[in-house]
Amino acid sequence: MTSSQTKPYAIGLALSGGGAKGFAHAGALKALEEFGIYPDIISGTSAGAIVGSLYADGCTPHEIIELFNNTSFYKFASFARSKTGLFKIDNFRKAMNQKLKAKTFEELNVPLYVNATDMFHGKNVFFSSGSLLDKVIASCSIPIIFEPVLIDGVHYSDGGLLCNFPVEVLRKKCKYLIGVNVGLVDIEHEEQLNLLDIIQRTYFFIRSASVLKGREQCDLLIEPPSIDKYGMFDAVKNEEIFQLGYQAALAILNEQKEKVKEMQAVSLSCPKTR
């Protein structure tokens, strides 16, 4: 591994996609804060892009889930009269626009990368500059479910299609890398499947291969053990999912005490670019 002096950031944080399971990201952030660990740079896909952007903008972990309190899928989604998606998420866009103080990546308190899938060219694209909201919305626009987002003449959909755990974009930029992966699903689903179940399970199988490499590159990997029992659209269970992320992060941080001490020390010694 390259010496920390050649890396501009001490601690990076990669947040996976996973729909409503992304509330666990906020819980993990709360645990990290309790250990005095604050990321110097963040990457996020889909749900991770939402949580990452709000946290980089200065929201606390609890403020992040408060935005979604008592929320169902249909509060933020409405049927679209469109050939490109079943739903539009104008209400979600409005809520995020009201919550985010920063309008560009450059205005965030913490540098942020979010990724989306270029649907014209079939490639993963990372965004880290310019206007913020459209790129966050694009990162979580699940194909078929939601309309793609047009950015500079290109239609973009959920980044999780090709990169659901955006670890590699940070690996060479930071000394230590923490990954929170919530993109897990219950393989042995015994109940009758509805349309949303089929879509999310299909989506999981597509994304799973892109997660394996990322997991291996993390210095600390947080994966809530029971998160697979929740669906991508279980937003009304945000407090439960938050607690799963919190408890899972606490367990790893208590288990890896030496690594945590190293991270706290290098956070003080590495130069900050912002």
Side-chain angles (χ1 to χ4, degrees):
M1 184 178 289
T2 313
S3 67
S4 61
Q5 284 71 22
T6 65
K7 298 185 178 183
Y9 303 103
I11 299 172
L13 176 67
L15 305 175
S16 79
K21 291 183 280 190
F23 294 123
H25 290 320
L29 283 165
K30 179 175 184 283
L32 290 170
E33 287 187 351
E34 291 178 359
F35 275 74
I37 296 174
Y38 295 84
D40 303 289
I41 187 169
I42 300 170
S43 64
T45 297
S46 196
I50 297 170
V51 174
S53 64
L54 291 168
Y55 192 71
D57 195 45
C59 290
T60 68
H62 280 294
E63 286 174 339
I64 292 170
I65 64 164
E66 283 173 3
L67 177 63
F68 302 94
N69 272 348
N70 302 313
T71 297
S72 71
F73 171 79
Y74 296 100
K75 175 182 177 181
F76 287 133
S78 58
F79 284 105
R81 295 180 178 178
S82 168
K83 296 180 179 179
T84 59
L86 296 174
F87 298 93
K88 55 184 178 180
I89 46 177
D90 290 347
N91 290 336
F92 175 69
R93 178 189 291 272
K94 186 182 298 184
M96 286 290 290
N97 188 48
Q98 292 173 345
K99 192 68 174 177
L100 285 169
K101 298 185 291 292
K103 303 306 176 186
T104 67
F105 283 84
E106 290 81 1
E107 295 173 19
L108 293 169
N109 299 328
V110 180
L112 174 71
Y113 284 85
V114 303
N115 65 306
T117 301
D118 177 340
M119 298 301 283
F120 284 171
H121 304 99
K123 63 180 182 179
N124 180 57
V125 176
F126 279 99
F127 298 105
S128 60
S129 63
S131 61
L132 176 64
L133 183 57
D134 277 351
K135 292 158 188 174
V136 172
I137 298 295
S139 185
C140 61
S141 293
I142 302 169
I144 302 175
I145 296 290
F146 300 122
E147 299 173 312
V149 177
L150 187 65
I151 300 173
D152 297 330
V154 177
H155 282 100
Y156 290 93
S157 289
D158 197 311
L161 277 174
L162 299 178
C163 178
N164 197 48
F165 197 17
V167 170
E168 194 165 3
V169 69
L170 298 186
R171 182 64 276 182
K172 293 182 179 180
K173 300 177 186 296
C174 53
K175 173 65 175 176
Y176 292 100
L177 184 54
I178 302 168
V180 187
N181 177 32
V182 301
L184 307 172
V185 71
D186 183 5
I187 299 297
E188 298 180 1
H189 194 292
E190 297 179 356
E191 299 176 7
Q192 185 174 356
L193 297 174
N194 59 34
L195 177 60
L196 291 182
D197 290 331
I198 292 170
I199 291 173
Q200 70 176 333
R201 290 173 71 78
T202 300
Y203 205 51
F204 163 76
F205 295 129
I206 292 172
R207 296 182 304 182
S208 59
S210 71
V211 172
L212 295 177
K213 186 177 179 181
R215 295 174 79 252
E216 296 170 355
Q217 296 184 67
C218 295
D219 295 298
L220 286 181
L221 177 63
I222 300 167
E223 291 182 317
S226 302
I227 199 74
D228 59 344
K229 302 300 181 184
Y230 296 86
M232 292 174 64
F233 306 105
D234 283 340
V236 292
K237 299 178 181 178
N238 59 353
E239 287 285 352
E240 291 179 30
I241 297 170
F242 177 94
Q243 287 299 323
L244 281 180
Y246 175 68
Q247 295 298 333
L250 282 184
I252 293 297
L253 291 166
N254 281 310
E255 178 184 314
Q256 301 288 334
K257 289 184 178 179
E258 290 304 314
K259 183 72 70 176
V260 169
K261 289 179 181 177
E262 292 175 15
M263 293 168 66
Q264 291 169 333
V266 77
S267 182
L268 297 174
S269 63
C270 279
K272 303 292 190 298
T273 59
R274 290 180 65 171

